[in-house]
Amino acid sequence: MTPVVEISADADATGSRVAERIAALIRAKPDAVVGVATGSSPEPVYRALARHIDDGLDASGVSWFALDEYIGLPHGDPQSYRAVLERVLIEPLGLDTASLHVPDGAAADPDAAAAAYEMALAGTTVDLQILGIGENGHIGFNEPGTPFTATTHRASLTRSTRMANARFFPSLDAVPQECLTQGLATIMRARRIELVAFGERKAGAVAAALYGPITDRCPASLLRRHPDVRVSVDAEAATELRATSCAVQQ
Ligand code: F6R
């Protein structure tokens, strides 16, 4: 099915619109399960969601499931995705850390940690999954070439992804080489998906995901086989979109 594409003037406007839909979900279903991404893209969404909490939204019954985690960072490392999500989501929303589920990237056996996380997700249904997109079309840390059938697994990060994430670390060498990530099949089980992308450097990946071939070379292209996907972008990430090919909302 063709994803709905929503273009806003800037990241904050997009964040507000996506957060409004998450807030509506939580009002309708106080024990909703929400899948959360890390990185820069979802941060405007989390900031806007915190304003709903300030206005009285009760999200205390929600379970939050992370998409991925680095392998090799010790528990509590500030760049681990658990620590990032505690900082940008759990603390600003005044939530209990027990409501946040993240694969254990510091586990002695990462493959077992991946299997345990997949089991946890198999026992629930994600009502709404928030995604960012890599410049190479990755979602979660499913890099190009990842099979569409993959469930939560251990994966190597490409050099381009490590370079893109080096801004959070003292040097490129400090960026982990591996991660645990929900697989593409895991992500596709979510009832609804909201992908957010900002800035000109994402324009090519967004266009490839929406109009290119559905191929493992562009993992996000698989989202076109999901029945309920919305792609929310700012004007810069929309520069390669064709209004005729999808249901564009301004
Ligand atoms: C992060 C994740 C990644 C990012 C992507 C974009 O949990 O799963 O797919 O969403 O790398 O990162 P940003 O938003 O930092 O450009």
Side-chain angles (χ1 to χ4, degrees):
M1 192 161 152
T2 310
V4 171
V5 179
E6 179 181 80
I7 305 172
S8 303
D10 55 36
D12 284 336
T14 298
S16 297
R17 293 169 92 171
V18 177
E20 178 53 54
R21 290 190 286 274
I22 300 170
L25 166 69
I26 296 171
R27 283 192 289 267
K29 188 176 180 190
D31 62 348
V33 178
V34 179
V36 283
T38 326
S40 306
S41 306
E43 291 196 6
V45 177
Y46 303 150
R47 282 198 298 272
L49 201 51
R51 293 197 290 275
H52 284 275
I53 301 287
D54 293 344
D55 291 344
L57 177 71
D58 179 4
S60 61
V62 176
S63 299
W64 311 88
F65 277 84
L67 268 177
D68 39 24
E69 177 60 286
Y70 291 118
I71 288 179
L73 297 181
H75 287 136
D77 187 289
Q79 292 314 327
S80 70
Y81 279 176
R82 171 171 284 280
V84 170
L85 284 168
E86 287 181 359
R87 220 161 42 232
V88 301
L89 178 76
I90 299 297
E91 287 163 20
L93 271 66
L95 302 171
D96 189 338
T97 49
S99 64
L100 176 65
H101 306 267
V102 184
D104 185 1
D109 183 345
D111 295 302
Y117 198 64
E118 183 66 22
M119 278 266 277
L121 283 161
T124 189
T125 301
V126 173
D127 292 294
L128 189 152
Q129 175 67 55
I130 302 163
L131 294 177
I133 183 170
E135 289 170 53
N136 62 5
H138 73 224
I139 49 175
F141 277 139
N142 293 280
E143 300 281 25
T146 306
F148 286 169
T149 51
T151 54
T152 304
H153 62 285
R154 177 181 192 167
S156 295
L157 297 171
T158 60
R159 185 174 165 80
S160 69
T161 297
R162 293 181 61 246
M163 284 172 69
N165 289 2
R167 66 192 193 279
F168 299 115
F169 290 85
S171 67
L172 178 58
D173 284 346
V175 184
Q177 305 270 357
E178 288 189 298
C179 64
L180 296 174
T181 181
Q182 288 191 33
L184 294 167
T186 318
I187 292 169
M188 289 290 277
R189 292 202 304 263
R191 287 202 171 96
R192 274 165 67 191
I193 294 179
E194 293 263 3
L195 185 147
V196 288
F198 304 118
E200 209 178 339
R201 67 191 179 88
K202 297 293 177 72
V206 170
L210 289 170
Y211 312 127
I214 297 180
T215 164
D216 65 8
R217 302 319 306 165
C218 177
S221 65
L222 175 63
L223 298 175
R224 304 214 308 271
R225 295 200 181 138
H226 190 285
D228 193 347
V229 177
R230 184 180 293 256
V231 175
S232 297
V233 294
D234 66 356
E236 290 181 353
T239 48
E240 294 185 31
L241 298 188
R242 291 178 245 138
T244 48
S245 307
C246 46
V248 175
Q249 299 178 350
Q250 301 273 355

